Amino acid sequence: DLPPGGRVDAIEPSWHQPGTAYIAVLRYQLNDWSPYIYRTTDFGGTWNRLTTGSNGIPDGYPTRVVREDPLRPGLLYAGTEFGMFVSFDDGAHWQSLQQNLPVTPVTDIKVQRGDLVLSTMGRGFWIMDDVGPLRRLDERIAQSSVYFFEPTDAYRLRYSTRRRSPADPQYRPVGAFIDYHLAEEVDGDVTLEIVDDGGTVVRRFSSKDAAAEDEPEERDTMEPPRPVGSGSTGRLSGQPGMRRFVWDLRHPGPWDADDGGERARGPLAAPGAYQARLSVAGESFTRPFRIVIDPRVAADGVTGPDLLAQQALNLRIRDALSKSRRTAQRVEELQANLEDRVSNAGEGSAIAREAQEVAGELTRLRAALVSDTEIKYPERMLIDQLEYLYGMTTSADQRPGGDAFRRIEELEAELDDYVLALDRLVAERLSLSSSRDQKTSQ
């Protein structure tokens, strides 16, 4: 039933069955816009047409390429003049795999390291990262109310995904791909926890996170994804369908009042065994995965224990940085409170004079914590010193030097002194001033 004159654009020998092959034939230049994909199972002796025009790929969608998945027999990918299609039953039925592709001719397809790579006619190369869920999808999963796919191992990589111009490629996000399927909209919270091999919860995400709720479904293609759940990408969603969330492999970062307290850009998690735990409508599902060291880093002699030591130091510095920032905020809140006291008591009163003395001590404490931004080249105070140490020890995969451990010990001791001084000031001076305020008001 194939008219003469067609161009065989693709020949795909089966990965799984000797004697089986697939071909895609293009005839639209002969004014024939029908789809032609055929399969042989006897080394080309006979052929069966897999595109009737009514089994998924519409009539009027000329076919350019067909490829079989290297791991799952019968999983076929087809590129047409107007986009992508997939078959899970060796071509008996097809369905759209368009996703966010432009409507454009798909000229070739390759499955490379578990990713689906497409070339198009004039619209660039496109990659669907990690087709593992497609390979595992079957009738049982499709009929499940909730299905949690086992994540593939995630490489601990460092590179920027930022696009500086429309001509720049959009790089694969760094992290672990967490895929799940929901049959219906979830009435309630969907939560995801990342647990290390010691049972400690490294990160927790929720579909109720404000960042997730505010993330628009459609976004300008030049705008990078907003951080969701403090640093990861995608949306932890309770909407029906296939859902993907990308954990960026990071711990929570240091506390920052300027970011509303969100803890983004934390230290990278060390290589090793982890678990992803998804909770939906009272049910919990757990799947294992691994974080794998960058093989280029390993080739340079860096080991898993080296990165565990780096992680421990990074978390220690992060906690000290959070503590110092919270202490500075506490000082600033006390300063504002004292200003209110002076204003209420009136200049020259005993309460005002005492409040001004305490305010002077608070000013000295803040000056030890926060650099003076009014000076062009200020002395870097404790918070800036911790930020510098944090940046230096988190910027590359390496075993930290001994000087980093000595330096954090020094800064922690200094911070403890300031916190102790503040606690004493609050206990001995501010509590007394507060009681006097109460007596005066009575």
Side-chain angles (χ1 to χ4, degrees), residues 43-44 56 64 75 95 129 174 180 243-244 249 254 262 264 266 284 305 323 365 367 377 390 396 398 406 439:
F43 295 92
R64 288 178 170 267
L75 177 56
Q95 55 187 289
D129 299 314
V174 179
Y180 57 99
R243 296 294 164 185
R244 169 166 288 175
L249 308 185
E262 289 187 9
S284 184
K323 184 177 179 180
L365 271 175
Y377 298 105
Y390 183 70
Q398 59 189 358
R406 290 190 293 271
K439 291 179 180 178

PDB file of all heavy atoms in Angstrom, residues 43-44 56 64 75 95 129 174 180 243-244 249 254 262 264 266 284 305 323 365 367 377 390 396 398 406 439:
ATOM      1  N   PHE A  43      13.285  -9.809   8.346  1.00  0.00           N
ATOM      2  CA  PHE A  43      14.427  -9.303   7.580  1.00  0.00           C
ATOM      3  C   PHE A  43      14.012  -8.603   6.289  1.00  0.00           C
ATOM      4  O   PHE A  43      14.760  -8.604   5.305  1.00  0.00           O
ATOM      5  CB  PHE A  43      15.420 -10.437   7.281  1.00  0.00           C
ATOM      6  CG  PHE A  43      16.066 -11.023   8.505  1.00  0.00           C
ATOM      7  CD1 PHE A  43      15.507 -12.116   9.144  1.00  0.00           C
ATOM      8  CD2 PHE A  43      17.232 -10.460   9.023  1.00  0.00           C
ATOM      9  CE1 PHE A  43      16.092 -12.664  10.276  1.00  0.00           C
ATOM     10  CE2 PHE A  43      17.819 -11.002  10.152  1.00  0.00           C
ATOM     11  CZ  PHE A  43      17.260 -12.099  10.792  1.00  0.00           C
ATOM     12  N   GLY A  44      12.827  -8.017   6.265  1.00  0.00           N
ATOM     13  CA  GLY A  44      12.393  -7.252   5.099  1.00  0.00           C
ATOM     14  C   GLY A  44      11.567  -8.031   4.108  1.00  0.00           C
ATOM     15  O   GLY A  44      11.205  -7.487   3.061  1.00  0.00           O
ATOM     16  N   GLY A  56      -3.611   7.326  15.964  1.00  0.00           N
ATOM     17  CA  GLY A  56      -2.849   8.239  16.810  1.00  0.00           C
ATOM     18  C   GLY A  56      -2.129   9.323  16.045  1.00  0.00           C
ATOM     19  O   GLY A  56      -2.230  10.511  16.369  1.00  0.00           O
ATOM     20  N   ARG A  64       8.839  11.541   9.181  1.00  0.00           N
ATOM     21  CA  ARG A  64      10.235  11.712   8.792  1.00  0.00           C
ATOM     22  C   ARG A  64      11.176  10.699   9.434  1.00  0.00           C
ATOM     23  O   ARG A  64      12.190  10.344   8.862  1.00  0.00           O
ATOM     24  CB  ARG A  64      10.712  13.128   9.132  1.00  0.00           C
ATOM     25  CG  ARG A  64      10.149  14.216   8.236  1.00  0.00           C
ATOM     26  CD  ARG A  64      10.624  15.588   8.673  1.00  0.00           C
ATOM     27  NE  ARG A  64      10.291  16.637   7.711  1.00  0.00           N
ATOM     28  CZ  ARG A  64      11.093  17.045   6.732  1.00  0.00           C
ATOM     29  NH1 ARG A  64      12.266  16.464   6.567  1.00  0.00           N
ATOM     30  NH2 ARG A  64      10.720  18.020   5.919  1.00  0.00           N
ATOM     31  N   LEU A  75       8.761   0.330  22.524  1.00  0.00           N
ATOM     32  CA  LEU A  75       8.615   1.764  22.794  1.00  0.00           C
ATOM     33  C   LEU A  75       9.212   2.509  21.610  1.00  0.00           C
ATOM     34  O   LEU A  75      10.429   2.497  21.404  1.00  0.00           O
ATOM     35  CB  LEU A  75       9.313   2.153  24.096  1.00  0.00           C
ATOM     36  CG  LEU A  75       9.313   3.638  24.465  1.00  0.00           C
ATOM     37  CD1 LEU A  75       7.898   4.195  24.536  1.00  0.00           C
ATOM     38  CD2 LEU A  75      10.053   3.872  25.778  1.00  0.00           C
ATOM     39  N   GLN A  95       0.461   8.323  20.421  1.00  0.00           N
ATOM     40  CA  GLN A  95      -0.072   9.517  21.080  1.00  0.00           C
ATOM     41  C   GLN A  95       0.969  10.626  21.039  1.00  0.00           C
ATOM     42  O   GLN A  95       2.174  10.379  20.879  1.00  0.00           O
ATOM     43  CB  GLN A  95      -0.501   9.220  22.511  1.00  0.00           C
ATOM     44  CG  GLN A  95       0.552   8.610  23.402  1.00  0.00           C
ATOM     45  CD  GLN A  95      -0.012   8.201  24.747  1.00  0.00           C
ATOM     46  OE1 GLN A  95      -0.337   9.045  25.574  1.00  0.00           O
ATOM     47  NE2 GLN A  95      -0.129   6.900  24.965  1.00  0.00           N
ATOM     48  N   ASP A 129      15.012  15.410  28.915  1.00  0.00           N
ATOM     49  CA  ASP A 129      15.910  14.826  29.890  1.00  0.00           C
ATOM     50  C   ASP A 129      15.253  13.641  30.594  1.00  0.00           C
ATOM     51  O   ASP A 129      14.150  13.766  31.127  1.00  0.00           O
ATOM     52  CB  ASP A 129      16.307  15.875  30.946  1.00  0.00           C
ATOM     53  CG  ASP A 129      17.026  17.055  30.328  1.00  0.00           C
ATOM     54  OD1 ASP A 129      17.927  16.823  29.510  1.00  0.00           O
ATOM     55  OD2 ASP A 129      16.686  18.205  30.665  1.00  0.00           O
ATOM     56  N   VAL A 174      20.685  21.063  37.036  1.00  0.00           N
ATOM     57  CA  VAL A 174      21.523  20.203  37.859  1.00  0.00           C
ATOM     58  C   VAL A 174      20.683  19.635  38.992  1.00  0.00           C
ATOM     59  O   VAL A 174      20.016  20.379  39.708  1.00  0.00           O
ATOM     60  CB  VAL A 174      22.717  20.997  38.439  1.00  0.00           C
ATOM     61  CG1 VAL A 174      23.574  20.099  39.327  1.00  0.00           C
ATOM     62  CG2 VAL A 174      23.562  21.583  37.317  1.00  0.00           C
ATOM     63  N   TYR A 180       6.570  11.696  39.393  1.00  0.00           N
ATOM     64  CA  TYR A 180       5.426  10.989  39.957  1.00  0.00           C
ATOM     65  C   TYR A 180       4.200  11.251  39.097  1.00  0.00           C
ATOM     66  O   TYR A 180       4.168  12.212  38.322  1.00  0.00           O
ATOM     67  CB  TYR A 180       5.170  11.393  41.416  1.00  0.00           C
ATOM     68  CG  TYR A 180       4.939  12.874  41.656  1.00  0.00           C
ATOM     69  CD1 TYR A 180       3.646  13.382  41.793  1.00  0.00           C
ATOM     70  CD2 TYR A 180       5.998  13.768  41.761  1.00  0.00           C
ATOM     71  CE1 TYR A 180       3.421  14.723  42.020  1.00  0.00           C
ATOM     72  CE2 TYR A 180       5.788  15.120  41.988  1.00  0.00           C
ATOM     73  CZ  TYR A 180       4.501  15.593  42.119  1.00  0.00           C
ATOM     74  OH  TYR A 180       4.283  16.938  42.343  1.00  0.00           O
ATOM     75  N   ARG A 243       4.238  14.497  36.728  1.00  0.00           N
ATOM     76  CA  ARG A 243       4.853  15.655  37.366  1.00  0.00           C
ATOM     77  C   ARG A 243       6.328  15.388  37.599  1.00  0.00           C
ATOM     78  O   ARG A 243       6.724  14.270  37.925  1.00  0.00           O
ATOM     79  CB  ARG A 243       4.161  15.956  38.703  1.00  0.00           C
ATOM     80  CG  ARG A 243       2.699  16.354  38.559  1.00  0.00           C
ATOM     81  CD  ARG A 243       2.563  17.677  37.846  1.00  0.00           C
ATOM     82  NE  ARG A 243       1.214  17.902  37.357  1.00  0.00           N
ATOM     83  CZ  ARG A 243       0.875  18.944  36.610  1.00  0.00           C
ATOM     84  NH1 ARG A 243       1.773  19.832  36.261  1.00  0.00           N
ATOM     85  NH2 ARG A 243      -0.368  19.074  36.200  1.00  0.00           N
ATOM     86  N   ARG A 244       7.142  16.425  37.411  1.00  0.00           N
ATOM     87  CA  ARG A 244       8.586  16.314  37.643  1.00  0.00           C
ATOM     88  C   ARG A 244       9.036  17.461  38.538  1.00  0.00           C
ATOM     89  O   ARG A 244       8.733  18.625  38.287  1.00  0.00           O
ATOM     90  CB  ARG A 244       9.362  16.345  36.331  1.00  0.00           C
ATOM     91  CG  ARG A 244      10.876  16.509  36.522  1.00  0.00           C
ATOM     92  CD  ARG A 244      11.646  16.210  35.252  1.00  0.00           C
ATOM     93  NE  ARG A 244      11.626  14.784  34.967  1.00  0.00           N
ATOM     94  CZ  ARG A 244      12.142  14.229  33.866  1.00  0.00           C
ATOM     95  NH1 ARG A 244      12.709  15.011  32.947  1.00  0.00           N
ATOM     96  NH2 ARG A 244      12.090  12.934  33.676  1.00  0.00           N
ATOM     97  N   LEU A 249      20.176  19.075  44.706  1.00  0.00           N
ATOM     98  CA  LEU A 249      21.226  18.356  45.450  1.00  0.00           C
ATOM     99  C   LEU A 249      21.825  19.193  46.571  1.00  0.00           C
ATOM    100  O   LEU A 249      22.916  18.876  47.068  1.00  0.00           O
ATOM    101  CB  LEU A 249      22.353  17.869  44.517  1.00  0.00           C
ATOM    102  CG  LEU A 249      21.934  17.052  43.292  1.00  0.00           C
ATOM    103  CD1 LEU A 249      23.177  16.547  42.553  1.00  0.00           C
ATOM    104  CD2 LEU A 249      21.045  15.891  43.680  1.00  0.00           C
ATOM    105  N   PRO A 254      22.177  29.211  54.345  1.00  0.00           N
ATOM    106  CA  PRO A 254      22.143  30.034  55.554  1.00  0.00           C
ATOM    107  C   PRO A 254      20.915  30.922  55.604  1.00  0.00           C
ATOM    108  O   PRO A 254      20.419  31.382  54.575  1.00  0.00           O
ATOM    109  CB  PRO A 254      23.433  30.869  55.445  1.00  0.00           C
ATOM    110  CG  PRO A 254      23.783  30.855  54.005  1.00  0.00           C
ATOM    111  CD  PRO A 254      23.294  29.561  53.452  1.00  0.00           C
ATOM    112  N   GLU A 262      14.102  32.633  53.751  1.00  0.00           N
ATOM    113  CA  GLU A 262      14.267  31.431  52.947  1.00  0.00           C
ATOM    114  C   GLU A 262      15.727  31.019  52.931  1.00  0.00           C
ATOM    115  O   GLU A 262      16.629  31.853  52.891  1.00  0.00           O
ATOM    116  CB  GLU A 262      13.783  31.683  51.516  1.00  0.00           C
ATOM    117  CG  GLU A 262      12.276  31.818  51.398  1.00  0.00           C
ATOM    118  CD  GLU A 262      11.827  31.891  49.958  1.00  0.00           C
ATOM    119  OE1 GLU A 262      12.667  31.658  49.066  1.00  0.00           O
ATOM    120  OE2 GLU A 262      10.647  32.167  49.720  1.00  0.00           O
ATOM    121  N   ALA A 264      18.138  29.410  50.769  1.00  0.00           N
ATOM    122  CA  ALA A 264      18.476  28.946  49.430  1.00  0.00           C
ATOM    123  C   ALA A 264      19.982  28.795  49.278  1.00  0.00           C
ATOM    124  O   ALA A 264      20.770  29.320  50.056  1.00  0.00           O
ATOM    125  CB  ALA A 264      17.934  29.925  48.386  1.00  0.00           C
ATOM    126  N   GLY A 266      22.209  26.234  49.539  1.00  0.00           N
ATOM    127  CA  GLY A 266      22.987  25.598  50.581  1.00  0.00           C
ATOM    128  C   GLY A 266      24.118  24.771  50.009  1.00  0.00           C
ATOM    129  O   GLY A 266      24.296  24.665  48.787  1.00  0.00           O
ATOM    130  N   SER A 284       2.392   7.219  51.847  1.00  0.00           N
ATOM    131  CA  SER A 284       3.802   7.561  51.707  1.00  0.00           C
ATOM    132  C   SER A 284       4.482   6.534  50.815  1.00  0.00           C
ATOM    133  O   SER A 284       4.234   5.330  50.928  1.00  0.00           O
ATOM    134  CB  SER A 284       4.481   7.605  53.082  1.00  0.00           C
ATOM    135  OG  SER A 284       5.824   8.013  52.962  1.00  0.00           O
ATOM    136  N   PRO A 305      35.022  10.357  50.766  1.00  0.00           N
ATOM    137  CA  PRO A 305      35.314  10.887  52.107  1.00  0.00           C
ATOM    138  C   PRO A 305      35.761  12.345  52.096  1.00  0.00           C
ATOM    139  O   PRO A 305      35.454  13.098  53.030  1.00  0.00           O
ATOM    140  CB  PRO A 305      36.425   9.961  52.605  1.00  0.00           C
ATOM    141  CG  PRO A 305      36.160   8.666  51.898  1.00  0.00           C
ATOM    142  CD  PRO A 305      35.663   9.064  50.539  1.00  0.00           C
ATOM    143  N   LYS A 323      23.511  31.917  62.489  1.00  0.00           N
ATOM    144  CA  LYS A 323      23.488  32.403  63.867  1.00  0.00           C
ATOM    145  C   LYS A 323      23.937  33.854  63.945  1.00  0.00           C
ATOM    146  O   LYS A 323      23.345  34.673  64.667  1.00  0.00           O
ATOM    147  CB  LYS A 323      24.386  31.514  64.723  1.00  0.00           C
ATOM    148  CG  LYS A 323      24.387  31.841  66.215  1.00  0.00           C
ATOM    149  CD  LYS A 323      25.261  30.842  66.964  1.00  0.00           C
ATOM    150  CE  LYS A 323      25.314  31.154  68.461  1.00  0.00           C
ATOM    151  NZ  LYS A 323      26.182  30.173  69.179  1.00  0.00           N
ATOM    152  N   LEU A 365      28.054  46.243  69.617  1.00  0.00           N
ATOM    153  CA  LEU A 365      27.882  44.845  69.233  1.00  0.00           C
ATOM    154  C   LEU A 365      27.569  44.716  67.739  1.00  0.00           C
ATOM    155  O   LEU A 365      28.136  43.864  67.043  1.00  0.00           O
ATOM    156  CB  LEU A 365      26.740  44.220  70.045  1.00  0.00           C
ATOM    157  CG  LEU A 365      27.094  43.576  71.379  1.00  0.00           C
ATOM    158  CD1 LEU A 365      25.826  43.117  72.098  1.00  0.00           C
ATOM    159  CD2 LEU A 365      28.023  42.386  71.169  1.00  0.00           C
ATOM    160  N   ALA A 367      28.362  46.757  65.396  1.00  0.00           N
ATOM    161  CA  ALA A 367      29.549  47.117  64.618  1.00  0.00           C
ATOM    162  C   ALA A 367      30.545  45.973  64.537  1.00  0.00           C
ATOM    163  O   ALA A 367      31.324  45.892  63.577  1.00  0.00           O
ATOM    164  CB  ALA A 367      30.216  48.352  65.248  1.00  0.00           C
ATOM    165  N   TYR A 377      35.834  51.479  51.776  1.00  0.00           N
ATOM    166  CA  TYR A 377      36.573  50.238  51.960  1.00  0.00           C
ATOM    167  C   TYR A 377      36.544  49.862  53.437  1.00  0.00           C
ATOM    168  O   TYR A 377      37.529  50.041  54.163  1.00  0.00           O
ATOM    169  CB  TYR A 377      38.016  50.372  51.469  1.00  0.00           C
ATOM    170  CG  TYR A 377      38.127  50.669  49.986  1.00  0.00           C
ATOM    171  CD1 TYR A 377      38.462  51.939  49.525  1.00  0.00           C
ATOM    172  CD2 TYR A 377      37.870  49.662  49.049  1.00  0.00           C
ATOM    173  CE1 TYR A 377      38.553  52.207  48.170  1.00  0.00           C
ATOM    174  CE2 TYR A 377      37.958  49.936  47.693  1.00  0.00           C
ATOM    175  CZ  TYR A 377      38.292  51.201  47.253  1.00  0.00           C
ATOM    176  OH  TYR A 377      38.373  51.458  45.915  1.00  0.00           O
ATOM    177  N   TYR A 390      32.481  30.852  53.766  1.00  0.00           N
ATOM    178  CA  TYR A 390      31.446  29.986  53.196  1.00  0.00           C
ATOM    179  C   TYR A 390      31.593  29.894  51.679  1.00  0.00           C
ATOM    180  O   TYR A 390      31.548  28.811  51.088  1.00  0.00           O
ATOM    181  CB  TYR A 390      30.069  30.540  53.569  1.00  0.00           C
ATOM    182  CG  TYR A 390      28.895  29.712  53.111  1.00  0.00           C
ATOM    183  CD1 TYR A 390      28.624  28.483  53.685  1.00  0.00           C
ATOM    184  CD2 TYR A 390      28.033  30.180  52.120  1.00  0.00           C
ATOM    185  CE1 TYR A 390      27.533  27.719  53.282  1.00  0.00           C
ATOM    186  CE2 TYR A 390      26.945  29.437  51.705  1.00  0.00           C
ATOM    187  CZ  TYR A 390      26.698  28.208  52.296  1.00  0.00           C
ATOM    188  OH  TYR A 390      25.612  27.466  51.880  1.00  0.00           O
ATOM    189  N   ALA A 396      33.970  24.705  45.057  1.00  0.00           N
ATOM    190  CA  ALA A 396      34.551  23.633  44.257  1.00  0.00           C
ATOM    191  C   ALA A 396      34.524  22.333  45.048  1.00  0.00           C
ATOM    192  O   ALA A 396      34.448  22.343  46.284  1.00  0.00           O
ATOM    193  CB  ALA A 396      35.986  23.983  43.854  1.00  0.00           C
ATOM    194  N   GLN A 398      36.311  19.665  46.713  1.00  0.00           N
ATOM    195  CA  GLN A 398      37.674  19.492  47.212  1.00  0.00           C
ATOM    196  C   GLN A 398      37.645  19.190  48.704  1.00  0.00           C
ATOM    197  O   GLN A 398      36.666  19.504  49.391  1.00  0.00           O
ATOM    198  CB  GLN A 398      38.480  20.766  46.985  1.00  0.00           C
ATOM    199  CG  GLN A 398      37.868  21.986  47.672  1.00  0.00           C
ATOM    200  CD  GLN A 398      38.522  23.286  47.280  1.00  0.00           C
ATOM    201  OE1 GLN A 398      39.467  23.299  46.517  1.00  0.00           O
ATOM    202  NE2 GLN A 398      38.004  24.383  47.781  1.00  0.00           N
ATOM    203  N   ARG A 406      40.594  25.712  61.131  1.00  0.00           N
ATOM    204  CA  ARG A 406      41.082  26.611  62.194  1.00  0.00           C
ATOM    205  C   ARG A 406      40.318  27.931  62.162  1.00  0.00           C
ATOM    206  O   ARG A 406      39.987  28.490  63.217  1.00  0.00           O
ATOM    207  CB  ARG A 406      42.576  26.848  62.033  1.00  0.00           C
ATOM    208  CG  ARG A 406      43.439  25.630  62.351  1.00  0.00           C
ATOM    209  CD  ARG A 406      44.909  25.980  62.400  1.00  0.00           C
ATOM    210  NE  ARG A 406      45.413  26.361  61.086  1.00  0.00           N
ATOM    211  CZ  ARG A 406      45.916  25.496  60.199  1.00  0.00           C
ATOM    212  NH1 ARG A 406      45.938  24.201  60.481  1.00  0.00           N
ATOM    213  NH2 ARG A 406      46.375  25.912  59.035  1.00  0.00           N
ATOM    214  N   LYS A 439       6.772  50.208  85.951  1.00  0.00           N
ATOM    215  CA  LYS A 439       6.467  50.975  87.172  1.00  0.00           C
ATOM    216  C   LYS A 439       6.084  52.396  86.846  1.00  0.00           C
ATOM    217  O   LYS A 439       5.158  52.968  87.434  1.00  0.00           O
ATOM    218  CB  LYS A 439       7.668  50.951  88.114  1.00  0.00           C
ATOM    219  CG  LYS A 439       7.950  49.578  88.725  1.00  0.00           C
ATOM    220  CD  LYS A 439       9.158  49.624  89.619  1.00  0.00           C
ATOM    221  CE  LYS A 439       9.452  48.255  90.225  1.00  0.00           C
ATOM    222  NZ  LYS A 439      10.667  48.258  91.071  1.00  0.00           N
TER     223      LYS A 439
END
